[in-house]
Each structure stands twice: as C-alpha cells, then as structure tokens.
Amino acid sequence: MRYSLFGESHGPAIGIVLQGVPSGLILDMDFIQNELTRRSPGRTLMSTSRKEKDEVEIVSGAFEGRATGTPLCGLIRNTDQRSRDYAATRWLARPGHADFTSNLHYKGFEDYRGGGHFSGRLTAPLVFAGAVAKLALRERGIEVLARIRTLEHLEDTPLDPVAPDIEALRAAGRKLLPVLDDEKAEAMRDAIIKARSEGDSVGGIVECFIFGMPAGVGSPDFDENIESHIARHIFAVPAVKGLEFGMGFGFASMRGSAANDVFVPAGQGVLRTRTNHNGGINGGIANGMPVVFRVVIKPTSSIAQEQDTVDMRTGEAAKLVITGRHDPCILSRAVPVVEAAAALAMCSVPGVLA
Amino acid sequence: MRYSLFGESHGPAIGIVLQGVPSGLILDMDFIQNELTRRSPGRTLMSTSRKEKDEVEIVSGAFEGRATGTPLCGLIRNTDQRSRDYAATRWLARPGHADFTSNLHYKGFEDYRGGGHFSGRLTAPLVFAGAVAKLALRERGIEVLARIRTLEHLEDTPLDPVAPDIEALRAAGRKLLPVLDDEKAEAMRDAIIKARSEGDSVGGIVECFIFGMPAGVGSPDFDENIESHIARHIFAVPAVKGLEFGMGFGFASMRGSAANDVFVPAGQGVLRTRTNHNGGINGGIANGMPVVFRVVIKPTSSIAQEQDTVDMRTGEAAKLVITGRHDPCILSRAVPVVEAAAALAMCSVPGVLA
Amino acid sequence: MRYSLFGESHGPAIGIVLQGVPSGLILDMDFIQNELTRRSPGRTLMSTSRKEKDEVEIVSGAFEGRATGTPLCGLIRNTDQRSRDYAATRWLARPGHADFTSNLHYKGFEDYRGGGHFSGRLTAPLVFAGAVAKLALRERGIEVLARIRTLEHLEDTPLDPVAPDIEALRAAGRKLLPVLDDEKAEAMRDAIIKARSEGDSVGGIVECFIFGMPAGVGSPDFDENIESHIARHIFAVPAVKGLEFGMGFGFASMRGSAANDVFVPAGQGVLRTRTNHNGGINGGIANGMPVVFRVVIKPTSSIAQEQDTVDMRTGEAAKLVITGRHDPCILSRAVPVVEAAAALAMCSVPGVLA
Amino acid sequence: MRYSLFGESHGPAIGIVLQGVPSGLILDMDFIQNELTRRSPGRTLMSTSRKEKDEVEIVSGAFEGRATGTPLCGLIRNTDQRSRDYAATRWLARPGHADFTSNLHYKGFEDYRGGGHFSGRLTAPLVFAGAVAKLALRERGIEVLARIRTLEHLEDTPLDPVAPDIEALRAAGRKLLPVLDDEKAEAMRDAIIKARSEGDSVGGIVECFIFGMPAGVGSPDFDENIESHIARHIFAVPAVKGLEFGMGFGFASMRGSAANDVFVPAGQGVLRTRTNHNGGINGGIANGMPVVFRVVIKPTSSIAQEQDTVDMRTGEAAKLVITGRHDPCILSRAVPVVEAAAALAMCSVPGVLA
C-alpha cells in the first residue's frame, strides 16, 4: 500500500490517494469516521477551537461499499478557514514551525496560511488512510493500538511488552485522554490546563503496540526492514522528533546478558521470547511477539506568549504574537495519527497484505 | 544516490552497488580505506579477533581515479572465514540475533553461517559507500561527524548543538574510542574490559552531527523529509533500536516556550535559531543549523555466557554457548557506520547532490 | 515529476495528484482548459455524444495562480453519467476491453460501469497533468507536439525528422483532426463517417515530436533511459499497442551504413547528426536532435455491431450489443493524450526540471 | 524482482545484483551457463571475434546450490580486453553509438573504452539475471521463448498467436540462428555474410512469446501495467528502437470489428479469445492467452566502412574507421537478451512471484 497526501490547511480541500487497497475490503464508514473523530480538533475543552467536521468523501476506488482495488481517493473539504489570522504575520517565521524552511524551499511560493501543506491538519487524511489500512489489517488478525505513555513529567502505567493488556489499550483508545490510568488522566488534564493558562504548551510520548504480526514477515531488503518502514512513516508525522523500539534508548545502559531476549518453547514447534526488549523485531523481521515502539511528540509550537523572531522579508528582528486557535497539547490527537502511520507502514511491508 | 547491498558473512564476497555518484568525483582511496579501517575488526585489543583486511575492489563506475557516474560497485572478498564455528549450532537460535526470524522468512534456505546477510560484516560495504558519499558531500561543503555519546553509564562531554566544536569531533574520529574526553575514554575502556571478563557486552549511544546542510534543502514529499531519509538509512544498521533528533525524547518534558527555537537575525538577511532543539530540521527541511541526531546501539548480542534458547528444528529447549570471535562492544565501530548511513541519507535528499 | 491517477468512469470524480511541480510555475488556466478541450468528447460530430465539461478544480498545490511545489491535485467531477447503460450487460465481457481481465484481477469487486478505472475517461486528468508538465517544459524551452500520422490506410504528409516544421505542427494541433494536410483530413473524416455508418471503428498512428531536449539530458540508469521513460508512460494510455522511435520498425530492413546518423559540426563545438534515424536518442540520452516517436492506437473496441462473447458468471456463449455513446475513432483525442504522456515522461527524466 | 546492473566493457568486471529472488530456488548452473552461451560472442563465424568465457561467479545470495532470497550478485570478469583499440579514436563520436551523448552526460569522465557502460557486453549479466528469472518462472509454469522473426528482408514462418508451436520455438532457441525455418536460416546466414563482406551490418525483428501467464495477473497501477513493465525492460536493451504487442502497428489499418478478440467459452467457466490480436493483454492485465510482442533491433552501429563524424574535443569534421571486433548482425544474440528482459519484467509484475 502506498499513498500520496495532498492539500493545504487553507486551500479548497485536503486528501490522500491510497494505492494497493485489497479489492473487496468492506469500507466500514462508521469505523473510519470514528477514527477521524478521535483526531478531530474541538473535541475537548483543551483543544483548538477550530471546528472542522472532517467528513471524508471517497471519490474513487470504492463501489457498493467496498474497495475496488483501484486507487482510493479520500477528500476532505476545508470549511472553517479564517485566513485573516495569518496574513498579518505572513513574513514572521513562527518558531518551531516550518515557515522559514518552506519559504526557502518553495522560494516564497508556498501557501503560508496556517502552515499550508505542513499543517497538522494534513494528519486528517492520514488518519483516514490509516483507518482503511486498519480494516485491511483486521482481516489478517493484526491490530494497532497506541496510548499516551507520558505527558510532560506524568507517566501512565507501564505495560508488560511480552503480553500487553489489549483490552485495556482498546478502552484507553476510546477516552478523550487515551491513557490506562484515569487518575493519571486527571493529572494530565490539569497539566494541560495549567500550561494553557500560562500561554504555553506541553509534549510527551506516545507508545504504540502492533498485535498479530506473523513471525517471519518483514522485508529482506536492507533499507526496507520493518523498523525502517515504521520510521519513515512515523517521521512524516509533524512534531515527531524521536522513535525507539522495545527497550529503545534504555538499551544504552544494559548488558548483553540482560538485553538478549532468550527463546523459549511455546509448544508445537513454535518459539517465543521470554522478554520482549527488541520490541518484536529481530533483523528487521517480525519475531511473533508484540511490536512495541515509542514516539516523542514535541510541545505544540504555536503558543500564546510573545516570541522573538525575524521578518523573513527584511531579515530584521521582530516580535511575534500568535493569535488564532491552537492546542496546548496535541498528544490525544497524535495517538490515532501514530496508529495510522503504523498501520500504513505495516500495509507496505511485503507479505502482510499479499 | 541509491544503493544495493549484497553478500553474506561467509560467502565469497560482500559488496555494494552505488547509483547516482557524481561523474568526475575523485575517489580518494586513502580516505576510503581509512574509513574502512575505522570500522574494521581486530583494531583494538577489545575487538573481535577475526582478521579481515577489508580491501575494496572497485569493479565498476570508476575510471582513471574518478567516478564515471555509472553504477559504482565495490567488492570486498571474505578471506578469514571459519565456518566450522557455526555448523554445530545451526539450529540453535542465538538470542538477540536474526537467526530465528531469517529462518522463518527464508524458509530455512538462508546462509546461516555467521548471521549470513544479517551479519555486522555487511556494514563494511556500507562504510565504503558512505566514504564515497562523504567525498561527494565534501565538495558541497557538507561534513558528517559522529562520536560515542554514552557507553553503558558513562557519558562523554556534551556539545553545544548551536555550534558544536567541529575540530574536537574530527579529532575524536581519529581515536580508537571516538570520544572527546580522554579520561572518559579510559573509563569506557575499563567498562568494556570488565564486561568482556564477565562474558558480557555493553551498548551505548552514538551522536552524529551534519555540518553545512544548506537551509531550504530537503524533500517536499510527505514521507521523504530529511528525518525520514536519515531514519530509513539508520534503522538499516544492525543493533540500532532508537533514533532522536535535537532534543529528541527530552522534548517530552519540555514546555513549548522552552522547546521552540526562536529565530535571530544573522546579518545579510540570513536567519539563525538561538537554540537548536530541533536539530537543524523544521518540517523535514534543513534550517541551516547543524543537524544533530542520536542513535542507540544495543549491547552486542553474541556473548560468551551460556544462554537459554530453542532448537528451531525440534522446538525443544536447549542451551547455547557461542564460541567464535565477538566484540564485547561495537560502539567504536558503529561510529563510522552511523556516519556512513547519514552521509548516504544526505546524498539521497533531492537538491543536495543535484 | 510523479503522478497518481485515480477515479472511475461513473464514480463521483476522477483526478490526479502531481508531485514535483516546480514552485512558482504560473498555472495558465486558459492553456490547461484548452488542452482538456482538445481531448474532450462531444467536440465533433464524429465523437461520442457524452457531454462532460471536464472542468478541473485544483484542490491543492496552487496559491495565487501559481504552483506552490507541494502535491498538486486536479479533480474533475463526473456529471453526465448514464449508468443504466451498463447494468444490463454487467457480466458480458466486451471484446477488446478490460472487463474480463479486471473482473479476474479485482475478483468481481471492480466498478464495471463504463469500464471503471480502465475507461478512456481517465485520460482527462492525464491531459490535465500533461498540461501542467507542458507549462513547466515551456519555461525550459521544451515543446511537445503530436499529430495523426495515419488513420486506417490514409497517411498525413511526412515531416523531416531533422527539422520538423514546428509551426505546421502547432497549427495542426488546433484543428479538429490534427493533421498537416487538410485534404487528407477530409479523406480521414470520410473514413470515420463510413466506419461509423457500418457500426465499426478505425485506428491509426499518432506521431509525436519533442523539441528542445538539451543534449546530454537523460538517465544513466539502465531501465530509466529516455526511451523507457516514454514507453512506460505511453503504454499506460488505453488502446496503445506499439511504440517506435525514429526509424523504428523501419530499421529492420536497413543496413548499418544507412541507419547510422553520422555527426556533422554545427559550429561553436556543437555537434548535430546529418540524419535523425535514432529519433534524437542515443543510449537513452538526448543527442539534441528532435525526439521523434510513433504510437499505434488500436480501433475503438466499442462498436455498434453485435459481437460474440461469454457471460462471465455462467461461462456460456452470449451475444453482445453495445449501446451507449462511443467514438468510432479516438485518434483526434489521442493526440493530446500522447502529448501529455510524453510531457509527463520528460518531466520525470532527471536533469530536465532540476 | 529488481536489479542493479553495473560494469563497463573494459573495466575489471561486469555484473548484476538481483533482489527478490525466491528463497530456495534451485540455481541450475547448467541452464544458466547455457543461456550465457546463447548470448556469447565468438559463437559463430559471423560473430565478433572477441573471446569472453562469460563465466559467472555468484558472490552472494546463494547457498548450497539454492537462492537464499537475499540479494544475489552475479559477477563476470572481463578477461579479453584490447583497450588499445579504442584510445586512438577516443574523441571521434561513433555514429549510432552513445559516445557523444555519454560524453555530454558524464562530462567527459565516462570510461569510453568499448562503449563503457553502454556496451552490448552489459547484456551478459542481464542474460544471467534473466536465466535466474526464468528458473523462478518455470516453477510457476511460465516460459519465455523468442526467435528471429525477420532479418533484413527475410521473414521466418509466422506462428499462430492463439496457439504458437511451443516445441518449435524451443527447438529454434537451440539453433545458432534461432528461427523455425532452416531454409530461411540459410538465407539469413548468406545475408549476414554479404553484409559483412561489404563492411556493413543488418538489423531485424525479434518476436517473443510468454506462455502460462495466469489470467488476471498484472498491475492495477496506471503506469505499471504489463505492457509498461515489458517496455521499460525492453527499451533498456541496447539497439532496441521499437516494441509492439499482438497485432501492434498492424492495428492502424484494421477495423474494430476485426481487431476485437471476441471471447469464447473454453469449458468449466474459463474464457478464451478466438483471436489473439491483443497479444494476451487487456488493460495491462494478462487475459490467459499467450503474450506476444515484437522488438526491432537496429543494425549494428559498428561497421567497417569509413564514416563521417566529428572530433568531440575540437568540434571539427573527421573521418572514422572503426577497427576492433564487431558483429555484422546481433540478432541471434539479441534473442536470449530479449527473453531475459521479458523474464525479468514478468518477475517484477505483482502476483507472479508472490
């Protein structure tokens, strides 16, 4: 499965073309729309007040409720644009954003309104595509589930990577703050509100599990192993600055004798590992254990405080106050986006879909 | 620049085909061979005792000392193979290695000796290709330099990501243990010797800097941004389990007001950022600051201690003692490999070479 | 430049996503719409009576009349669908069409109406994308011009491949039947009318010229030479069954002494060839002479006569009468499609756009 | 299956890296070597007198006589080089060759000896790879067979495209001149000898059949249909200037009523076509009939006669006499090359190998 993402935050529409969708796949629109709702802004008091319904029109590749197998294009109209928010600060590079780099890259011809093509809004069609990918994976017994692992200094309950509680993860996915521990959720909510009241924002870590990846599936190709597949999809998500599998950076201070996942018989000739430090992947190939990875999401770059910057036209120092509508914390919304990127990555691994 | 890597640890040869090398590039063989030496085993007392000269024969794409621009194939003969080391344990899956997953993936037809295609030995042609990439980058004023940042619990001196000391990094690259602080190097050496004496191994973190990436260079494509480019190359390196840019996982506990790199005038219309938390990349495009990323290398999987495992033929529990020659710490050798992967990644970013 | 084409003949919309459009390119909508009109049905008495306005909405990648450089999506709504035309014959494989093969390939889940994704209607977004490509090429002094070379047994005036009359080609492109010789056009018109009156259709050959390809441009890659680039784009056009460059199949009966294009000095160190049998390409690289190729278009498969076929559900013999609206000759409309495919192919050759 | 071809005519070696070879495939070296012999020079009196043994060393991707599934590299050493043949005429662009275009493309850094990377010699590793592809296809019941269809004005016996005589094709493949009709072969031999005696060369047409392609196999992707797959592989073969499927250019003068392949029941719900004008492909997907295509091979560019040319250094007119060893007719050797390209193309069609 491959995709082409298109659109700008304040253009007529955003969308995605998905190639390689299995023909006959039932397009469960309730499921798809629910995934989009999980990502949608305006869902909680804490989130941006931009109201987009994010209704997807499938304009191709579907017939009588099923995927035909030809390229599937999902289109989302932009309806609640307030472009005037941006015109006044057109030349003031917003810190943490891609205004400056895209201005250089596109030689000033970029649609600068709301970050244009670099807007977090582009994650809506990504989630749409991820929902289709999840439906395809579900038929093969594969499920992708993520949650907020940490928010600022607050950490949700750890899960055993050998046998993570799949029901608890599913339940977390239905919450406004997708964490296991409701008391932690309360504390996180307070932290977000506090940051917002200070004109600031918070970041955190999303943890993602992939269940049901058949052992032996993966890519023999040197730069297309499962970790590379996930990585190139995940780093395409805005605000992601790091990715680790299994023990990840924790491996740095471990000894080999502790780090190695020793094999144990699981009956009928099947092998399992006693621990799952490697996050379900050895040599780029799934070993049958749950795939586990964590993604760091930097704090929202758009904050209410006045910031130093430079006028890109004049090269002179300037002060910037970002108005408009912005999330003080995008972690809740990042959870379905990380799941979507992971689901799309899995569907591009040879041997998973076909 | 694209590459095709081929070979097995105990086959006739290993090598790589590089496409897109700039025609006319002077192939400085002293530089290339020195890069291979930095990666070579048997370099220090601490390293594996397998002696491979790792002499590369360039069999195509070169003429009169320069790259022609046609596919460049570098070939390294395997000369010091001791295949008998592996035959006895053919069916015992080595913990932490890809024996089990490759056995499933290749249906038992893999060349199992020494890990076959998954051997760390395959990083030799990668370093060769990286050396060619570095020569191409050097002509464009781009330089890639890495060092050991941490080894087990020991950490080398931090560098200012806004203006890292390039001379100190170059000097570190010439050392057997590529760190800035020689006293730390001594402590790290002791830690490695201690681990070896206990039949164990250690891991750590490699930190890599890319200097001279022109602002605005990068890919407009959603899944081909600079971070995705680096990620898919880096995760192809054996033993890598995590990657972070700039502040990386440190972003999780930061506020936006601290995380944002504000812009400051640098004269003549040029912008810089006051901090470099984003590691030189905004929205997948270089912003002109040094690119900074860190890679975690898990401890060497081959250890001298007896380990539990399973016989893949019978599915029954077994004990495994790995004999043969193995590094208790591959961090020194990982440094040029990470540099090579980063250099190759940069050469595949549109706008860098052409 | 790469593209993703999507849509079905009777779905909500058809369209294309173009990646790699140069940022700042002025999107001359008059030119673009005129290209679509050249391809549009219902243009002549001879053509299908399906009336589609083929108005393209650019939903992304454009801002203030210019390409931004981000993915550019062009969308064309399907408005004049008569799906009932197709339901009655859903299981009767139309000879010459892809009904049978797509039914197998998509396991019966294809949108069969009007040929679905395989409809000639999908050439509308291709022509749109080709128009954008032509605008990009024009800025680099490259022009793509095609004409009908033969229709059934009628042949238009040959052109000297060394210096084809570019003005005559431009003029032909504006005619309803794009040929040089108006008397031949008259005879061709008669042939089409005759075929139609007999419930039949005709085919022919489109000849295409590319002017201004700079010598030395092309791809070093073995399977991405200019001829391969053109070929894979051209064979994606429905009804194409052959492609030849320069003398093409005429080479079969030539001697080398006649076939070789000898080089002659053209002043100031520049070389030209005395003849242009190779159609402007040697070894997959442009030699500076006009690129010349010819494409055979098979007669329209949809004819009014009753035809033998098989019911795909029952496997039994059946008779098929195709009703609906169909061109007895698609050559006129194939001319801008071939130009579009060639323009897109040129924009994908490294070194042409960047 | 993908490949990377490398090497120059007079460099140390030529070779190919094949990715995606099915693990476990038995590498029948007698078959492989025989394919190389079919292509080898010095095979007949008529051929070039350069003697290369073309022995392939498989340096990776094979173990105990089988493909492992990892990248398979085949290497052929260049042993009979006479580079002095070329030095004297280094700056004289040989008509019909890529000397001029590669000199521009590679800015003078190309290995000019014997055409370097553009040499017909590079078809040896292609044939090697094609042989591996044929072995993989054979396990799936697919066979690729070609023959000389015409040589100059001489035409071999036509075959019924609905049911071509597969045994006759196999027998032709074993002949020095792979044609069905031995009397025609005699006449062709005379024509070649005559051309050689006149310091000239001849061209012709190779016709290729693919048996056993399962109906429904093909690519849904707009530019990766079977015809595009074959085309991009075939146009990578030196001296190819045209390609047609089924009736090919013959369609131009046909009516739709004759051109359409009507469907007939073949029992048990299976469909066949009564004729096979479309060469086994509808809409880019195999329809179960034999795939048929023809390729025009231009006459050998290297001829013994003195030719006009230009000195690329000075831009002045010059006379060129090509010495060295050259085929007056490469058609016999082109037959296995076309088969190889077709076999590799089929192995890259999704659904054929996996």
Side-chain angles (χ1 to χ4, degrees), chain A residues 2 19 69-71 220-221 224 354, chain D residues 2 19 69 71 220-222 224 354:
Chain A
R2 286 173 296 149
Q19 290 175 279
T70 56
D221 196 69
E224 292 194 350
Chain D
R2 287 173 295 149
Q19 291 176 278
D221 195 69
F222 196 76
E224 292 194 350

Side-chain angles (χ1 to χ4, degrees), chain A residues 69-346:
Chain A
T70 56
L72 191 158
C73 178
L75 199 71
I76 301 173
R77 291 279 161 188
N78 289 325
T79 54
D80 183 33
Q81 308 151 347
R82 302 190 198 166
S83 300
R84 281 161 304 176
D85 288 345
Y86 298 97
T89 53
R90 191 264 181 270
W91 297 106
L92 301 182
R94 293 172 301 160
H97 282 286
D99 299 347
F100 170 57
T101 52
S102 67
N103 187 252
L104 287 175
H105 185 78
Y106 297 109
K107 299 166 189 142
F109 295 109
E110 73 279 5
D111 180 352
Y112 58 86
R113 299 168 300 167
H117 187 60
F118 294 83
S119 166
R121 182 149 172 67
L122 270 285
T123 56
L126 198 68
V127 165
F128 162 73
V132 175
K134 282 180 178 181
L135 290 170
L137 292 173
R138 183 193 284 174
E139 297 202 339
R140 284 143 190 89
I142 299 170
E143 188 167 358
V144 180
L145 293 164
R147 54 114 171 214
I148 298 175
R149 174 67 189 263
T150 71
L151 185 151
E152 224 179 1
H153 299 283
L154 300 159
E155 184 171 2
D156 192 27
T157 318
L159 281 172
D160 175 10
V162 170
D165 184 340
I166 193 165
E167 282 304 334
L169 283 165
R170 286 175 182 151
R174 288 187 290 267
K175 301 178 188 175
L176 288 184
L177 266 178
V179 294
L180 304 178
D181 178 342
D182 288 334
E183 286 184 32
K184 268 303 158 47
E186 205 57 47
M188 289 179 181
R189 195 165 286 123
D190 292 344
I192 299 171
I193 290 169
K194 184 162 186 292
R196 187 178 55 173
S197 72
E198 296 167 8
D200 218 331
S201 63
V202 295
I205 295 171
V206 172
E207 186 174 49
C208 186
F209 299 84
I210 309 175
F211 296 91
M213 280 293 284
V217 160
S219 174
D221 196 69
F222 196 76
D223 79 327
E224 292 194 350
N225 56 78
I226 291 186
E227 281 150 331
S228 288
H229 267 290
I230 290 176
R232 64 181 192 164
H233 281 82
I234 286 293
F235 278 111
V237 174
V240 167
K241 298 301 281 191
L243 168 66
E244 61 177 13
F245 292 88
M247 284 300 293
F249 280 88
F251 275 123
S253 53
M254 290 176 84
R255 286 286 186 85
S257 56
N260 283 347
D261 297 314
V262 302
F263 293 99
V264 291
Q268 300 181 309
V270 175
L271 278 67
R272 288 179 58 81
T273 60
R274 190 175 292 152
T275 50
N276 187 17
H277 301 322
N278 282 281
I281 303 165
N282 290 129
I285 301 171
N287 67 13
M289 303 299 289
V291 171
V292 189
F293 64 88
R294 277 172 301 283
V295 177
V296 63
I297 308 287
K298 67 176 183 175
T300 319
S301 298
S302 290
I303 56 174
Q305 299 175 22
E306 183 185 83
Q307 295 179 87
D308 288 339
T309 188
V310 176
D311 184 308
M312 294 188 286
R313 218 176 8 179
T314 64
E316 284 173 17
K319 297 286 182 189
L320 172 69
V321 177
I322 296 177
T323 56
R325 306 151 293 179
H326 303 286
D327 271 341
C329 174
I330 55 169
L331 279 171
S332 291
R333 299 170 63 194
V335 164
V337 176
V338 165
E339 288 177 5
L344 287 162
M346 287 308 95

Side-chain angles (χ1 to χ4, degrees), chain C residues 22-44:
Chain C
S23 57
L25 182 71
I26 295 173
L27 296 170
D28 179 342
M29 291 309 290
D30 289 339
F31 175 78
I32 291 170
Q33 194 58 52
N34 187 55
E35 290 292 292
L36 282 161
T37 302
R38 290 176 68 207
R39 190 219 71 95
S40 66
R43 215 185 153 211
T44 69

Side-chain angles (χ1 to χ4, degrees), chain C residues 6-89:
Chain C
F6 60 85
E8 278 77 33
S9 179
H10 289 64
I14 55 179
I16 198 161
V17 179
L18 259 178
Q19 290 175 278
V21 181
S23 57
L25 182 71
I26 295 173
L27 296 170
D28 179 342
M29 291 309 290
D30 289 339
F31 175 78
I32 291 170
Q33 194 58 52
N34 187 55
E35 290 292 292
L36 282 161
T37 302
R38 290 176 68 207
R39 190 219 71 95
S40 66
R43 215 185 153 211
T44 69
L45 282 176
M46 296 168 293
S47 241
T48 167
S49 54
R50 177 170 176 176
K51 302 276 183 266
E52 290 279 8
K53 285 170 68 184
D54 283 350
E55 273 180 29
V56 180
E57 181 194 14
I58 300 182
V59 299
S60 70
F63 185 54
E64 299 179 342
R66 290 171 184 266
T68 56
T70 56
L72 191 159
C73 177
L75 200 71
I76 302 173
R77 291 278 162 189
N78 289 324
T79 54
D80 183 33
Q81 308 152 345
R82 302 189 197 166
S83 300
R84 281 161 303 176
D85 289 343
Y86 298 96
T89 54

